[in-house]
Amino acid sequence: MAAGKGTRLNSKRPKVLHEVGGRALLLHVIAAAKTLVPATQIFCIVGHEAVRVQAAVVSTGVHFVLQEVPRGTGHAMQVLKAQLLASGKPLPSHLLVLSGDVPLIRTETLEALCRLHIQERAAMTILTAVPQDPTGYGRVLRLTPGQTEVVAIVEQKALTPAQLATPEINSGIYCFETAALFSKLDLLSNDNTHGEFYLTDAAALLVADGQRVVALQAGSVDEVLGANTIAEMMHLDEAMRAATARRLMAQGVTIFRPDTCVIDAEVNVGPDTVIEPYVQLLGATRIGSECLIRSYSVVQHSELGNSVTVRNGCILDHAEIGDGALLGPYAHLRPESRIGVNAHVGNFCETKKTTLGRGSKANHLSYLGDAVIGEGVNIGAGVITCNYDGEHKHTTTIGDGVFVGSDSTLVAPISLGDGSYVGAGSCVTHPVPAGSLAIGRAHQITKQGWVAARRAARAAARKPEKKD
Ligand code: UD1
Ligand code: CA
């Protein structure tokens, strides 16, 4: 269910597209569902900002159900029922219902819920939890405390003073026997404080009909917490990142002060890699083993090989880094930067859409954009590829073993042949053939004795004229 507006967020972005652990809530939920069944058996109910929500998750391959006006979770099921019946296909015998804003749910818990549901031959099985503060959630009323059977779910606003103390909450995740659920949907009423059709009311309706409604308490509270406010969402984000750090540490990664690091859920890191405090690893980043990622570096959507050192303060975005490479401090590797095995990109260097070959070095203050640079190349301090003429981008091609002297500007399109040299301070505008030296700078003029002569001339000019 992902059709709700998320009023309590005070945000223009649909709630299910807000992110925790670097991924939209709904994508987490769909990923959890996909660990149980193929995408073709998953129906995603969209409504509020449906086009935007659909676009964000369409790549998962799930079906969509349009609940044009979200009139409550019960109404969401009514719309699903109509679509399933209209399809003419046989109905699935059971339905697992997930909430788009309960993203931390684990496969094991869903499996346990489905197991209990089948084992108990229940019409409805509710996943519950007992959090420190149950305020805001629907409460699950058991027949007698500790017993599996449930009599009803009561929403926060409808709780009687006596029920307020009920500690067990409804997670918004359920298993239903499809036929039993569908037989009760038309009986739901919207006569409540929100004027919505509550799916939770199905519990009491089924019980009244003599059907079995049971509940399973989840192993951990965090995994069933919902995200109705930004503060709640940030709590989930923290919980998810802590879980990610624990997963990586269990794989042999050393993370100093993991509470200071921001590591997205999809990140993978090889064993014996060391991550210092205040590092961010984002998106689909992959890091090999025995790497060192020093403090204040931000690595997103990037692939690092083994034994890579990222010194302090580097920013990597969609970059590929070969084994043994050394980056930073303060290097900025922009999209499509491909840094070869054992290559160096050092202090205050920026690369973009550039390949730096094996063992090549750009150690200080360079901008390398739209460049293809061979192996064993030395890029001197302050070298700039002038890749943009105000209208178009052009390529700089540098062969193997080239030496580019400091403070040179390479005006693209340009090529430097294998083994060529560029004298420091050159402005290179013509291709340099292999093995040649190019010097593109004004000839130096040296005037010997010029300083002394100038001083003498000035002193003479200042001397006061003698008066009679
Ligand atoms: C719901 C439950 C509550 C439970 C809580 C757990 C109901 C009536 N209450 O409350 O018992 O404790 O979840 O998190 O179900 N949605 C739709 N269509 C709609 C309305 C909602 O698809 O018409 C979706 C929302 O996008 C959301 C999910 O259903 O992903 C839950 O809706 P929400 O409004 O957040 O329900 P809660 O008030 O949190
Ligand atoms: Ca909710």
Side-chain angles (χ1 to χ4, degrees), residues 354-391:
T354 282
T355 305
L356 188 63
R358 172 187 287 261
S360 291
K361 292 173 184 168
N363 271 329
H364 326 271
L365 303 159
S366 284
Y367 171 63
L368 304 172
D370 301 292
V372 181
I373 302 172
E375 300 186 354
V377 170
N378 188 81
I379 304 286
V383 168
I384 307 287
T385 55
C386 309
N387 59 329
Y388 186 48
D389 61 12
E391 274 180 47

PDB file of all heavy atoms in Angstrom, residues 354-391:
ATOM      1  N   THR A 354      37.327  10.957 -17.385  1.00  0.00           N
ATOM      2  CA  THR A 354      38.744  10.833 -17.689  1.00  0.00           C
ATOM      3  C   THR A 354      39.267   9.465 -17.281  1.00  0.00           C
ATOM      4  O   THR A 354      38.915   8.958 -16.218  1.00  0.00           O
ATOM      5  CB  THR A 354      39.525  11.945 -16.942  1.00  0.00           C
ATOM      6  OG1 THR A 354      39.352  13.168 -17.663  1.00  0.00           O
ATOM      7  CG2 THR A 354      41.007  11.639 -16.832  1.00  0.00           C
ATOM      8  N   THR A 355      40.082   8.887 -18.166  1.00  0.00           N
ATOM      9  CA  THR A 355      40.730   7.629 -17.834  1.00  0.00           C
ATOM     10  C   THR A 355      42.185   7.923 -17.543  1.00  0.00           C
ATOM     11  O   THR A 355      42.866   8.558 -18.350  1.00  0.00           O
ATOM     12  CB  THR A 355      40.652   6.660 -19.041  1.00  0.00           C
ATOM     13  OG1 THR A 355      39.284   6.535 -19.405  1.00  0.00           O
ATOM     14  CG2 THR A 355      41.205   5.301 -18.694  1.00  0.00           C
ATOM     15  N   LEU A 356      42.644   7.476 -16.388  1.00  0.00           N
ATOM     16  CA  LEU A 356      44.055   7.651 -16.031  1.00  0.00           C
ATOM     17  C   LEU A 356      44.640   6.241 -15.981  1.00  0.00           C
ATOM     18  O   LEU A 356      44.194   5.414 -15.195  1.00  0.00           O
ATOM     19  CB  LEU A 356      44.148   8.351 -14.671  1.00  0.00           C
ATOM     20  CG  LEU A 356      45.536   8.797 -14.205  1.00  0.00           C
ATOM     21  CD1 LEU A 356      46.128   9.837 -15.139  1.00  0.00           C
ATOM     22  CD2 LEU A 356      45.465   9.367 -12.785  1.00  0.00           C
ATOM     23  N   GLY A 357      45.643   5.996 -16.832  1.00  0.00           N
ATOM     24  CA  GLY A 357      46.146   4.626 -16.987  1.00  0.00           C
ATOM     25  C   GLY A 357      46.924   4.128 -15.778  1.00  0.00           C
ATOM     26  O   GLY A 357      47.229   4.876 -14.840  1.00  0.00           O
ATOM     27  N   ARG A 358      47.248   2.843 -15.861  1.00  0.00           N
ATOM     28  CA  ARG A 358      47.959   2.148 -14.795  1.00  0.00           C
ATOM     29  C   ARG A 358      49.228   2.914 -14.390  1.00  0.00           C
ATOM     30  O   ARG A 358      50.035   3.302 -15.239  1.00  0.00           O
ATOM     31  CB  ARG A 358      48.333   0.756 -15.323  1.00  0.00           C
ATOM     32  CG  ARG A 358      49.230  -0.072 -14.448  1.00  0.00           C
ATOM     33  CD  ARG A 358      49.632  -1.323 -15.205  1.00  0.00           C
ATOM     34  NE  ARG A 358      48.529  -2.250 -15.303  1.00  0.00           N
ATOM     35  CZ  ARG A 358      48.374  -3.308 -14.491  1.00  0.00           C
ATOM     36  NH1 ARG A 358      49.271  -3.558 -13.561  1.00  0.00           N
ATOM     37  NH2 ARG A 358      47.353  -4.105 -14.637  1.00  0.00           N
ATOM     38  N   GLY A 359      49.377   3.151 -13.099  1.00  0.00           N
ATOM     39  CA  GLY A 359      50.600   3.758 -12.577  1.00  0.00           C
ATOM     40  C   GLY A 359      50.791   5.227 -12.921  1.00  0.00           C
ATOM     41  O   GLY A 359      51.826   5.809 -12.619  1.00  0.00           O
ATOM     42  N   SER A 360      49.830   5.848 -13.562  1.00  0.00           N
ATOM     43  CA  SER A 360      49.988   7.272 -13.898  1.00  0.00           C
ATOM     44  C   SER A 360      49.686   8.128 -12.671  1.00  0.00           C
ATOM     45  O   SER A 360      48.939   7.730 -11.786  1.00  0.00           O
ATOM     46  CB  SER A 360      49.039   7.655 -15.036  1.00  0.00           C
ATOM     47  OG  SER A 360      49.479   7.026 -16.218  1.00  0.00           O
ATOM     48  N   LYS A 361      50.300   9.330 -12.655  1.00  0.00           N
ATOM     49  CA  LYS A 361      50.168  10.170 -11.466  1.00  0.00           C
ATOM     50  C   LYS A 361      49.786  11.601 -11.809  1.00  0.00           C
ATOM     51  O   LYS A 361      50.396  12.212 -12.684  1.00  0.00           O
ATOM     52  CB  LYS A 361      51.498  10.203 -10.701  1.00  0.00           C
ATOM     53  CG  LYS A 361      51.831   8.859 -10.094  1.00  0.00           C
ATOM     54  CD  LYS A 361      53.214   8.832  -9.492  1.00  0.00           C
ATOM     55  CE  LYS A 361      53.478   7.409  -9.008  1.00  0.00           C
ATOM     56  NZ  LYS A 361      54.881   7.178  -8.668  1.00  0.00           N
ATOM     57  N   ALA A 362      48.791  12.095 -11.113  1.00  0.00           N
ATOM     58  CA  ALA A 362      48.466  13.522 -11.165  1.00  0.00           C
ATOM     59  C   ALA A 362      48.384  13.915  -9.699  1.00  0.00           C
ATOM     60  O   ALA A 362      47.372  13.712  -9.052  1.00  0.00           O
ATOM     61  CB  ALA A 362      47.137  13.741 -11.876  1.00  0.00           C
ATOM     62  N   ASN A 363      49.479  14.397  -9.180  1.00  0.00           N
ATOM     63  CA  ASN A 363      49.543  14.506  -7.727  1.00  0.00           C
ATOM     64  C   ASN A 363      49.104  15.842  -7.139  1.00  0.00           C
ATOM     65  O   ASN A 363      48.797  15.902  -5.954  1.00  0.00           O
ATOM     66  CB  ASN A 363      50.941  14.160  -7.223  1.00  0.00           C
ATOM     67  CG  ASN A 363      51.049  12.659  -6.941  1.00  0.00           C
ATOM     68  OD1 ASN A 363      50.063  12.028  -6.563  1.00  0.00           O
ATOM     69  ND2 ASN A 363      52.222  12.085  -7.140  1.00  0.00           N
ATOM     70  N   HIS A 364      49.119  16.896  -7.935  1.00  0.00           N
ATOM     71  CA  HIS A 364      48.809  18.196  -7.315  1.00  0.00           C
ATOM     72  C   HIS A 364      48.001  19.102  -8.236  1.00  0.00           C
ATOM     73  O   HIS A 364      48.396  19.342  -9.374  1.00  0.00           O
ATOM     74  CB  HIS A 364      50.102  18.954  -6.958  1.00  0.00           C
ATOM     75  CG  HIS A 364      51.232  18.090  -6.546  1.00  0.00           C
ATOM     76  ND1 HIS A 364      51.456  17.715  -5.249  1.00  0.00           N
ATOM     77  CD2 HIS A 364      52.205  17.499  -7.277  1.00  0.00           C
ATOM     78  CE1 HIS A 364      52.524  16.946  -5.181  1.00  0.00           C
ATOM     79  NE2 HIS A 364      53.002  16.792  -6.409  1.00  0.00           N
ATOM     80  N   LEU A 365      46.878  19.608  -7.735  1.00  0.00           N
ATOM     81  CA  LEU A 365      46.224  20.796  -8.292  1.00  0.00           C
ATOM     82  C   LEU A 365      45.881  20.745  -9.781  1.00  0.00           C
ATOM     83  O   LEU A 365      46.009  21.746 -10.473  1.00  0.00           O
ATOM     84  CB  LEU A 365      47.144  22.013  -8.068  1.00  0.00           C
ATOM     85  CG  LEU A 365      47.517  22.287  -6.626  1.00  0.00           C
ATOM     86  CD1 LEU A 365      48.771  23.132  -6.545  1.00  0.00           C
ATOM     87  CD2 LEU A 365      46.372  22.985  -5.910  1.00  0.00           C
ATOM     88  N   SER A 366      45.458  19.594 -10.286  1.00  0.00           N
ATOM     89  CA  SER A 366      45.166  19.501 -11.721  1.00  0.00           C
ATOM     90  C   SER A 366      43.676  19.439 -12.001  1.00  0.00           C
ATOM     91  O   SER A 366      42.906  19.018 -11.157  1.00  0.00           O
ATOM     92  CB  SER A 366      45.802  18.238 -12.303  1.00  0.00           C
ATOM     93  OG  SER A 366      47.176  18.425 -12.451  1.00  0.00           O
ATOM     94  N   TYR A 367      43.286  19.844 -13.229  1.00  0.00           N
ATOM     95  CA  TYR A 367      41.949  19.535 -13.720  1.00  0.00           C
ATOM     96  C   TYR A 367      42.102  18.674 -14.960  1.00  0.00           C
ATOM     97  O   TYR A 367      42.693  19.096 -15.961  1.00  0.00           O
ATOM     98  CB  TYR A 367      41.151  20.803 -14.066  1.00  0.00           C
ATOM     99  CG  TYR A 367      39.874  20.422 -14.781  1.00  0.00           C
ATOM    100  CD1 TYR A 367      38.906  19.653 -14.129  1.00  0.00           C
ATOM    101  CD2 TYR A 367      39.651  20.754 -16.115  1.00  0.00           C
ATOM    102  CE1 TYR A 367      37.762  19.232 -14.794  1.00  0.00           C
ATOM    103  CE2 TYR A 367      38.508  20.341 -16.783  1.00  0.00           C
ATOM    104  CZ  TYR A 367      37.575  19.578 -16.109  1.00  0.00           C
ATOM    105  OH  TYR A 367      36.440  19.150 -16.769  1.00  0.00           O
ATOM    106  N   LEU A 368      41.585  17.474 -14.896  1.00  0.00           N
ATOM    107  CA  LEU A 368      41.654  16.554 -16.027  1.00  0.00           C
ATOM    108  C   LEU A 368      40.230  16.193 -16.432  1.00  0.00           C
ATOM    109  O   LEU A 368      39.542  15.457 -15.720  1.00  0.00           O
ATOM    110  CB  LEU A 368      42.434  15.292 -15.639  1.00  0.00           C
ATOM    111  CG  LEU A 368      43.857  15.548 -15.111  1.00  0.00           C
ATOM    112  CD1 LEU A 368      44.482  14.266 -14.563  1.00  0.00           C
ATOM    113  CD2 LEU A 368      44.741  16.137 -16.214  1.00  0.00           C
ATOM    114  N   GLY A 369      39.760  16.768 -17.538  1.00  0.00           N
ATOM    115  CA  GLY A 369      38.384  16.524 -17.993  1.00  0.00           C
ATOM    116  C   GLY A 369      38.383  16.036 -19.422  1.00  0.00           C
ATOM    117  O   GLY A 369      39.165  16.521 -20.257  1.00  0.00           O
ATOM    118  N   ASP A 370      37.526  15.073 -19.752  1.00  0.00           N
ATOM    119  CA  ASP A 370      37.432  14.509 -21.102  1.00  0.00           C
ATOM    120  C   ASP A 370      38.806  14.097 -21.615  1.00  0.00           C
ATOM    121  O   ASP A 370      39.186  14.447 -22.738  1.00  0.00           O
ATOM    122  CB  ASP A 370      36.782  15.519 -22.058  1.00  0.00           C
ATOM    123  CG  ASP A 370      35.387  15.904 -21.580  1.00  0.00           C
ATOM    124  OD1 ASP A 370      34.506  15.040 -21.624  1.00  0.00           O
ATOM    125  OD2 ASP A 370      35.210  17.055 -21.122  1.00  0.00           O
ATOM    126  N   ALA A 371      39.540  13.374 -20.802  1.00  0.00           N
ATOM    127  CA  ALA A 371      40.903  12.998 -21.181  1.00  0.00           C
ATOM    128  C   ALA A 371      41.067  11.485 -21.154  1.00  0.00           C
ATOM    129  O   ALA A 371      40.454  10.791 -20.349  1.00  0.00           O
ATOM    130  CB  ALA A 371      41.908  13.644 -20.233  1.00  0.00           C
ATOM    131  N   VAL A 372      41.886  11.013 -22.098  1.00  0.00           N
ATOM    132  CA  VAL A 372      42.266   9.598 -22.104  1.00  0.00           C
ATOM    133  C   VAL A 372      43.763   9.582 -21.906  1.00  0.00           C
ATOM    134  O   VAL A 372      44.510  10.036 -22.777  1.00  0.00           O
ATOM    135  CB  VAL A 372      41.890   8.928 -23.438  1.00  0.00           C
ATOM    136  CG1 VAL A 372      42.269   7.448 -23.411  1.00  0.00           C
ATOM    137  CG2 VAL A 372      40.400   9.087 -23.709  1.00  0.00           C
ATOM    138  N   ILE A 373      44.192   9.126 -20.751  1.00  0.00           N
ATOM    139  CA  ILE A 373      45.599   9.233 -20.377  1.00  0.00           C
ATOM    140  C   ILE A 373      46.167   7.827 -20.220  1.00  0.00           C
ATOM    141  O   ILE A 373      45.577   6.981 -19.544  1.00  0.00           O
ATOM    142  CB  ILE A 373      45.736  10.036 -19.056  1.00  0.00           C
ATOM    143  CG1 ILE A 373      45.109  11.431 -19.247  1.00  0.00           C
ATOM    144  CG2 ILE A 373      47.191  10.139 -18.620  1.00  0.00           C
ATOM    145  CD1 ILE A 373      44.989  12.254 -17.984  1.00  0.00           C
ATOM    146  N   GLY A 374      47.302   7.574 -20.846  1.00  0.00           N
ATOM    147  CA  GLY A 374      47.889   6.231 -20.873  1.00  0.00           C
ATOM    148  C   GLY A 374      48.534   5.835 -19.553  1.00  0.00           C
ATOM    149  O   GLY A 374      48.254   6.406 -18.495  1.00  0.00           O
ATOM    150  N   GLU A 375      49.436   4.849 -19.661  1.00  0.00           N
ATOM    151  CA  GLU A 375      50.081   4.296 -18.470  1.00  0.00           C
ATOM    152  C   GLU A 375      51.382   5.022 -18.181  1.00  0.00           C
ATOM    153  O   GLU A 375      52.043   5.527 -19.092  1.00  0.00           O
ATOM    154  CB  GLU A 375      50.366   2.807 -18.699  1.00  0.00           C
ATOM    155  CG  GLU A 375      49.093   2.025 -18.963  1.00  0.00           C
ATOM    156  CD  GLU A 375      49.327   0.519 -19.054  1.00  0.00           C
ATOM    157  OE1 GLU A 375      50.507   0.097 -19.016  1.00  0.00           O
ATOM    158  OE2 GLU A 375      48.330  -0.219 -19.166  1.00  0.00           O
ATOM    159  N   GLY A 376      51.760   5.050 -16.915  1.00  0.00           N
ATOM    160  CA  GLY A 376      53.054   5.602 -16.522  1.00  0.00           C
ATOM    161  C   GLY A 376      53.237   7.062 -16.888  1.00  0.00           C
ATOM    162  O   GLY A 376      54.344   7.521 -17.166  1.00  0.00           O
ATOM    163  N   VAL A 377      52.161   7.789 -16.894  1.00  0.00           N
ATOM    164  CA  VAL A 377      52.222   9.210 -17.264  1.00  0.00           C
ATOM    165  C   VAL A 377      52.429  10.044 -16.000  1.00  0.00           C
ATOM    166  O   VAL A 377      51.891   9.721 -14.937  1.00  0.00           O
ATOM    167  CB  VAL A 377      50.905   9.631 -17.960  1.00  0.00           C
ATOM    168  CG1 VAL A 377      50.813  11.139 -18.136  1.00  0.00           C
ATOM    169  CG2 VAL A 377      50.766   8.908 -19.288  1.00  0.00           C
ATOM    170  N   ASN A 378      53.221  11.118 -16.116  1.00  0.00           N
ATOM    171  CA  ASN A 378      53.341  12.047 -14.996  1.00  0.00           C
ATOM    172  C   ASN A 378      52.700  13.371 -15.380  1.00  0.00           C
ATOM    173  O   ASN A 378      53.110  14.027 -16.343  1.00  0.00           O
ATOM    174  CB  ASN A 378      54.809  12.270 -14.640  1.00  0.00           C
ATOM    175  CG  ASN A 378      54.916  13.084 -13.360  1.00  0.00           C
ATOM    176  OD1 ASN A 378      54.795  12.561 -12.262  1.00  0.00           O
ATOM    177  ND2 ASN A 378      55.093  14.393 -13.521  1.00  0.00           N
ATOM    178  N   ILE A 379      51.655  13.719 -14.630  1.00  0.00           N
ATOM    179  CA  ILE A 379      50.982  15.002 -14.862  1.00  0.00           C
ATOM    180  C   ILE A 379      51.499  15.949 -13.787  1.00  0.00           C
ATOM    181  O   ILE A 379      51.262  15.742 -12.595  1.00  0.00           O
ATOM    182  CB  ILE A 379      49.452  14.843 -14.716  1.00  0.00           C
ATOM    183  CG1 ILE A 379      48.891  13.760 -15.657  1.00  0.00           C
ATOM    184  CG2 ILE A 379      48.739  16.170 -14.888  1.00  0.00           C
ATOM    185  CD1 ILE A 379      48.825  14.150 -17.113  1.00  0.00           C
ATOM    186  N   GLY A 380      52.227  16.991 -14.193  1.00  0.00           N
ATOM    187  CA  GLY A 380      52.825  17.905 -13.225  1.00  0.00           C
ATOM    188  C   GLY A 380      51.780  18.722 -12.478  1.00  0.00           C
ATOM    189  O   GLY A 380      50.602  18.759 -12.854  1.00  0.00           O
ATOM    190  N   ALA A 381      52.261  19.417 -11.445  1.00  0.00           N
ATOM    191  CA  ALA A 381      51.351  20.219 -10.622  1.00  0.00           C
ATOM    192  C   ALA A 381      50.655  21.278 -11.469  1.00  0.00           C
ATOM    193  O   ALA A 381      51.263  21.915 -12.323  1.00  0.00           O
ATOM    194  CB  ALA A 381      52.143  20.891  -9.503  1.00  0.00           C
ATOM    195  N   GLY A 382      49.368  21.421 -11.246  1.00  0.00           N
ATOM    196  CA  GLY A 382      48.629  22.517 -11.880  1.00  0.00           C
ATOM    197  C   GLY A 382      48.330  22.354 -13.353  1.00  0.00           C
ATOM    198  O   GLY A 382      47.947  23.314 -14.017  1.00  0.00           O
ATOM    199  N   VAL A 383      48.479  21.171 -13.894  1.00  0.00           N
ATOM    200  CA  VAL A 383      48.168  20.958 -15.320  1.00  0.00           C
ATOM    201  C   VAL A 383      46.654  21.005 -15.520  1.00  0.00           C
ATOM    202  O   VAL A 383      45.895  20.453 -14.735  1.00  0.00           O
ATOM    203  CB  VAL A 383      48.732  19.597 -15.802  1.00  0.00           C
ATOM    204  CG1 VAL A 383      48.175  19.237 -17.187  1.00  0.00           C
ATOM    205  CG2 VAL A 383      50.251  19.638 -15.819  1.00  0.00           C
ATOM    206  N   ILE A 384      46.258  21.684 -16.606  1.00  0.00           N
ATOM    207  CA  ILE A 384      44.826  21.821 -16.888  1.00  0.00           C
ATOM    208  C   ILE A 384      44.530  21.319 -18.288  1.00  0.00           C
ATOM    209  O   ILE A 384      45.204  21.715 -19.240  1.00  0.00           O
ATOM    210  CB  ILE A 384      44.404  23.318 -16.854  1.00  0.00           C
ATOM    211  CG1 ILE A 384      44.819  24.005 -15.551  1.00  0.00           C
ATOM    212  CG2 ILE A 384      42.920  23.474 -17.121  1.00  0.00           C
ATOM    213  CD1 ILE A 384      44.040  23.646 -14.349  1.00  0.00           C
ATOM    214  N   THR A 385      43.514  20.470 -18.413  1.00  0.00           N
ATOM    215  CA  THR A 385      43.008  20.177 -19.750  1.00  0.00           C
ATOM    216  C   THR A 385      41.931  21.207 -20.047  1.00  0.00           C
ATOM    217  O   THR A 385      40.947  21.313 -19.316  1.00  0.00           O
ATOM    218  CB  THR A 385      42.386  18.765 -19.826  1.00  0.00           C
ATOM    219  OG1 THR A 385      41.385  18.658 -18.819  1.00  0.00           O
ATOM    220  CG2 THR A 385      43.417  17.676 -19.616  1.00  0.00           C
ATOM    221  N   CYS A 386      42.143  21.980 -21.117  1.00  0.00           N
ATOM    222  CA  CYS A 386      41.147  22.999 -21.488  1.00  0.00           C
ATOM    223  C   CYS A 386      40.161  22.289 -22.410  1.00  0.00           C
ATOM    224  O   CYS A 386      40.359  22.242 -23.622  1.00  0.00           O
ATOM    225  CB  CYS A 386      41.813  24.169 -22.191  1.00  0.00           C
ATOM    226  SG  CYS A 386      43.226  24.798 -21.266  1.00  0.00           S
ATOM    227  N   ASN A 387      39.119  21.709 -21.837  1.00  0.00           N
ATOM    228  CA  ASN A 387      38.253  20.795 -22.599  1.00  0.00           C
ATOM    229  C   ASN A 387      37.039  21.482 -23.198  1.00  0.00           C
ATOM    230  O   ASN A 387      36.332  20.895 -23.979  1.00  0.00           O
ATOM    231  CB  ASN A 387      37.797  19.635 -21.700  1.00  0.00           C
ATOM    232  CG  ASN A 387      37.030  20.127 -20.479  1.00  0.00           C
ATOM    233  OD1 ASN A 387      37.294  21.217 -19.977  1.00  0.00           O
ATOM    234  ND2 ASN A 387      36.081  19.340 -20.012  1.00  0.00           N
ATOM    235  N   TYR A 388      36.809  22.729 -22.860  1.00  0.00           N
ATOM    236  CA  TYR A 388      35.551  23.380 -23.248  1.00  0.00           C
ATOM    237  C   TYR A 388      35.854  24.672 -23.991  1.00  0.00           C
ATOM    238  O   TYR A 388      36.617  25.506 -23.496  1.00  0.00           O
ATOM    239  CB  TYR A 388      34.763  23.670 -21.962  1.00  0.00           C
ATOM    240  CG  TYR A 388      33.372  24.213 -22.171  1.00  0.00           C
ATOM    241  CD1 TYR A 388      32.501  23.605 -23.068  1.00  0.00           C
ATOM    242  CD2 TYR A 388      32.925  25.323 -21.460  1.00  0.00           C
ATOM    243  CE1 TYR A 388      31.217  24.093 -23.244  1.00  0.00           C
ATOM    244  CE2 TYR A 388      31.642  25.815 -21.622  1.00  0.00           C
ATOM    245  CZ  TYR A 388      30.789  25.198 -22.523  1.00  0.00           C
ATOM    246  OH  TYR A 388      29.519  25.678 -22.686  1.00  0.00           O
ATOM    247  N   ASP A 389      35.262  24.806 -25.179  1.00  0.00           N
ATOM    248  CA  ASP A 389      35.528  26.022 -25.960  1.00  0.00           C
ATOM    249  C   ASP A 389      34.378  27.021 -25.844  1.00  0.00           C
ATOM    250  O   ASP A 389      34.268  27.941 -26.646  1.00  0.00           O
ATOM    251  CB  ASP A 389      35.796  25.653 -27.421  1.00  0.00           C
ATOM    252  CG  ASP A 389      34.601  24.957 -28.066  1.00  0.00           C
ATOM    253  OD1 ASP A 389      33.506  24.966 -27.470  1.00  0.00           O
ATOM    254  OD2 ASP A 389      34.761  24.406 -29.179  1.00  0.00           O
ATOM    255  N   GLY A 390      33.523  26.807 -24.880  1.00  0.00           N
ATOM    256  CA  GLY A 390      32.377  27.692 -24.708  1.00  0.00           C
ATOM    257  C   GLY A 390      31.127  27.112 -25.318  1.00  0.00           C
ATOM    258  O   GLY A 390      30.014  27.512 -24.989  1.00  0.00           O
ATOM    259  N   GLU A 391      31.328  26.145 -26.244  1.00  0.00           N
ATOM    260  CA  GLU A 391      30.168  25.496 -26.868  1.00  0.00           C
ATOM    261  C   GLU A 391      30.252  23.986 -26.754  1.00  0.00           C
ATOM    262  O   GLU A 391      29.274  23.324 -26.454  1.00  0.00           O
ATOM    263  CB  GLU A 391      30.085  25.863 -28.350  1.00  0.00           C
ATOM    264  CG  GLU A 391      29.355  27.163 -28.610  1.00  0.00           C
ATOM    265  CD  GLU A 391      29.313  27.470 -30.096  1.00  0.00           C
ATOM    266  OE1 GLU A 391      28.978  26.570 -30.883  1.00  0.00           O
ATOM    267  OE2 GLU A 391      29.660  28.619 -30.457  1.00  0.00           O
TER     268      GLU A 391
END
